[in-house]
Amino acid sequence: MADNKPADPAKDGLQQEEKLEEMLDRLNQVHVQLRHLRSALQRMLAPLTTKQPSPQAAFAAYMQSVDRANKEVASFREALVGLHSDGVFAQAGASQKANPKGIKAWRARDDPDWADPDPKVKRSRIS
C-alpha cells in the first residue's frame, strides 16, 4: 500500500531551493560561455595577423582556429538548448505569471558584482 504521509513543507522547500541553485549554476555556466564567445571572432582571425612560414601554414592555422570557434559555438548552443529542454526558462516564466506584482525589477546598481565571472566570489559576499 502507498504511504499517505503529508509532505514535509520544510523538506520540499529545501529541495526546491537546491533545484533553483542548480538552475542558477547552469545559467551562470552558459553566461560564462557566452562571455567567452564575445572574443571568438578575434581569436579565430588571430592566425591571419601573425607571420606564417608559408601560405599553407597560414591556412592550416586559420582552419584550426575556425574549428575551435565552431566547437565553442556548438558547445554554447548545446548548453542553451539543454536549459530550454530542462524547462529552466519555462519555470521562470511560470513563476512570473503566478506572481507578476511580486517581482522586483533588477538594477545593476543593486548588485555591483553582477559581472564578476567567479560565482564563489559572489556567494562569499552574500553570506
Side-chain angles (χ1 to χ4, degrees), residues 20 23 27 87-99 103:
L20 289 173
M23 287 181 181
L27 280 170
V88 173
F89 297 118
Q91 183 174 352
S95 67
Q96 183 178 10
K97 287 178 185 175
N99 189 11
I103 296 176

Side-chain angles (χ1 to χ4, degrees), residues 11-28:
K11 186 176 181 181
D12 289 341
L14 285 175
Q15 289 175 343
Q16 180 73 11
E17 187 174 342
E18 288 174 0
K19 186 176 178 181
L20 289 173
E21 284 287 329
E22 179 185 328
M23 287 181 181
L24 283 173
D25 286 341
R26 290 183 60 203
L27 280 170
N28 187 42

Side-chain angles (χ1 to χ4, degrees), residues 20-60:
L20 289 173
E21 284 287 329
E22 179 185 328
M23 287 181 181
L24 283 173
D25 286 341
R26 290 183 60 203
L27 280 170
N28 187 42
Q29 291 170 358
V30 172
H31 176 254
V32 169
Q33 285 181 328
L34 181 61
R35 289 180 59 92
H36 186 68
L37 282 178
R38 290 190 312 179
S39 63
L41 188 60
Q42 290 90 357
R43 286 181 279 117
M44 186 176 73
L45 296 175
L48 298 178
T49 62
T50 59
K51 181 141 175 76
Q52 299 288 340
S54 69
Q56 292 82 9
F59 181 74

Side-chain angles (χ1 to χ4, degrees), residues 2-4 7 13 15-16 20 31 33-34 38 43 48 60 66 68 77 83 90 94 99-100 104 106 118 120-121 126:
D3 193 9
N4 292 332
Q15 289 175 343
Q16 180 73 11
L20 289 173
H31 176 254
Q33 285 181 328
L34 181 61
R38 290 190 312 179
R43 286 181 279 117
L48 298 178
V66 168
R68 281 192 301 269
R77 184 180 304 134
L83 288 176
N99 189 11
K104 179 183 166 190
W106 179 84
D118 188 6
K120 294 176 185 174
V121 172
I126 293 172

